[in-house]
Amino acid sequence: MTAAAVPTASAPRVGAAPAGRVFRNLLRSEALLAWRSGAAVFWSAFLPVAGLVVIGSISGNRAPQDGLGGRSVLDTYLPILMMFSLTISVVTLMPPTLAVYREKGILRRLSTTPVPPSRLLGAQAVIYAGLGVLVSVVLLVVAVAAYDVNLPDQLAGFAVSLVLVGAATTGLGLVVAALAPNTRVASALSTLLFFPLMFFAGLWIPRASMPSGLRAVSDWTPLGAGVRAIQATVDGHWPPLSSLLVLAGWAVVCGVVAARTFRWE
């Protein structure tokens, strides 16, 4: 998993161009760089979709199982794969990219132009979080169309849950980017954070199979709360309020920490 390619051209001069147009141009150029790097596409998009296809292609994985709370393996791992995509995109790929920009002086050079460095930060967050959310929607569509997974009865609840998970993971990614002094540390911190996050999401031990104490801890983690919220919508219920509050809390706290500790150079 490597950071996106670093732009070599100097930042565009914007003069009196409207702020919205400047941000759109920056967003477009950063999205092209992320696409060309290949890492974001492979790890965040191809891998979880391929995992869904493998799980769904095994007929036994579509049958309810008592050990999974009456859910099938496919129903159980659908929200986990969504968490995987968001975490890889925002927590694992975004921080090293921002660390490269800091190391190469791109953020410092931007501070001398009419484009504030915060615009670049916002563009990165939109690109990587947006990719994770988009892949999550694709996973749901593939599961419903190809493997007869029930479309969530609470689509609004599903959307709210997904947006809050995206906000919480983005906050975590920005904290890593803020605290890491260089690209190597950013990559190491992102990788170290990825494994416990995915553990509590149920990647290795599904939440339904966790001991009650471990599941209670999982409920307070961003991905554990995210899986719980999205799983509830797949089961036909509104996501638990406690899970939504946990996600909102992670988003707010991490956002504040990142804002106070982020260094542009």
Side-chain angles (χ1 to χ4, degrees):
M1 301 177 220
T2 58
V6 180
T8 55
S10 59
R13 301 186 63 86
V14 296
R21 184 188 305 169
V22 172
F23 183 75
R24 286 194 299 271
N25 291 338
L26 184 60
L27 187 65
R28 186 182 304 112
S29 63
E30 290 298 310
L32 287 173
L33 288 170
W35 174 264
R36 289 172 183 171
S37 74
V41 176
F42 179 80
W43 292 106
S44 298
F46 175 77
L47 204 59
V49 172
L52 178 69
V53 171
V54 170
I55 294 173
S57 298
I58 302 173
S59 58
N61 288 341
R62 300 199 294 270
Q65 298 188 15
D66 294 336
L68 297 176
R71 303 184 186 94
S72 67
V73 173
L74 182 60
D75 286 338
T76 299
Y77 274 90
L78 176 59
I80 295 173
L81 290 171
M82 294 178 182
M83 300 302 102
F84 179 92
S85 176
L86 278 161
T87 306
I88 284 288
S89 183
V90 184
V91 178
T92 305
L93 295 176
M94 184 177 70
T97 301
L98 290 172
V100 168
Y101 287 0
R102 184 188 293 117
E103 284 183 327
K104 299 298 183 181
I106 294 171
L107 297 180
R108 177 173 50 80
R109 290 199 299 272
L110 276 176
S111 66
T112 65
T113 73
V115 181
S118 58
R119 297 278 174 83
L120 177 62
L121 192 64
Q124 288 287 316
V126 169
I127 290 165
Y128 285 100
L131 176 62
V133 169
L134 177 61
V135 173
S136 297
V137 173
V138 170
L139 287 168
L140 178 63
V141 170
V142 171
V144 171
Y147 303 114
D148 297 325
V149 171
N150 293 327
L151 187 69
D153 292 335
Q154 299 288 349
L155 282 176
F158 174 81
V160 169
S161 300
L162 201 56
V163 168
L164 285 176
V165 174
T169 52
T170 298
L172 283 171
L174 291 176
V175 168
V176 174
L179 298 179
N182 53 54
T183 309
R184 183 174 58 183
V185 174
S187 298
L189 289 176
S190 297
T191 302
L192 288 174
L193 192 58
F194 170 79
F195 289 103
L197 284 172
M198 290 309 305
F199 173 80
F200 286 115
L203 181 61
W204 293 281
I205 305 175
R207 281 174 41 85
S209 302
M210 288 181 178
S212 58
L214 189 59
R215 188 163 57 248
V217 174
S218 172
D219 289 342
W220 287 95
T221 66
L223 298 195
V227 168
R228 185 185 179 204
I230 291 177
Q231 188 71 69
T233 66
V234 175
D235 292 342
H237 310 295
W238 183 262
L241 178 60
S242 59
S243 296
L244 299 182
L245 290 175
V246 168
L247 290 169
W250 277 96
V252 171
V253 171
C254 290
V256 170
V257 171
R260 292 187 175 183
T261 60
F262 198 92
R263 304 178 310 281
W264 298 111
E265 56 180 321

